[in-house]
Amino acid sequence: MSFSRLYASALAALLLFGTAHAATVEKRPIPSPGMHKDIPAVVVVPDSYAKSTAALPVVYLLHGFSGNQEGWLKLAPLGEYADLYQVLIVCLDGAFDSWYFDIPSDPNCRYETYVSKEAVAFVDQNYRTIQAPKGRAIAGLSMGGHGAMYLSLRHKDVFGAAG
């Protein structure tokens, strides 16, 4: 068999069988009772989730200034990471420029509460998760990095790791 035929066969097998067991990317809203609205989110569920009863750790990812919850899908192979490390990955929307703060004078900007309480509670209620700081990490890019550090320091009872 020639190299090109072998390569084509291997590529076809990868495309056919490589996607048979792949993480699921769910685009779904997560309600914010504090802001009286549903906020779009992305939840990446590893391929083994449906076949298992194990509780999984969760990694929360925060986007940067002017981004949104789908930005991480373009930056990293989240499905591969979810499958490889057996984690749920939750990409939250922090609005265009919230910096993940609660602003007392603006009832539409309660992103600290949303991320650290509302979204975590929703994920814990709707997925099998390790419901303790040791089972939750938070990370972000740019504004999201600020949010991850800020929230992890203020909510050590929620997040066990940050980046």
Side-chain angles (χ1 to χ4, degrees), residues 12-21:
L14 215 118
L15 291 173
L16 288 173
F17 301 112
T19 58
H21 298 288

Side-chain angles (χ1 to χ4, degrees), residues 21-152:
H21 298 288
T24 303
V25 176
E26 300 175 1
K27 296 179 181 179
R28 64 180 302 168
I30 294 179
S32 171
M35 290 188 278
H36 307 289
K37 62 184 175 182
D38 288 342
I39 299 174
V42 173
V43 180
V44 183
V45 182
D47 64 343
S48 65
Y49 184 81
K51 299 175 211 142
S52 172
T53 59
L56 297 179
V58 183
V59 176
Y60 291 89
L61 296 178
L62 307 179
H63 65 77
F65 185 89
S66 78
N68 65 39
Q69 72 286 351
E70 293 188 25
W72 280 100
L73 294 173
K74 299 170 189 158
L75 295 173
L78 299 184
E80 291 177 33
Y81 293 153
D83 287 343
L84 180 64
Y85 297 109
Q86 293 303 295
V87 298
L88 291 168
I89 299 173
V90 180
C91 303
L92 298 173
D93 186 33
F96 186 86
D97 60 353
S98 75
W99 291 91
Y100 302 96
F101 286 131
D102 281 359
I103 298 176
S105 62
D106 185 354
N108 293 315
C109 193
R110 302 272 192 261
Y111 285 92
E112 177 179 352
T113 298
Y114 171 68
V115 173
S116 65
K117 292 182 176 52
E118 297 169 341
V120 169
F122 179 88
V123 171
D124 284 350
Q125 290 168 3
N126 289 278
Y127 297 91
R128 287 187 320 276
T129 63
I130 298 172
Q131 297 183 13
K134 71 177 184 176
R136 294 188 200 105
I138 187 167
L141 172 68
S142 190
M143 178 183 85
H146 164 271
M149 294 289 105
Y150 174 76
L151 295 173
S152 68

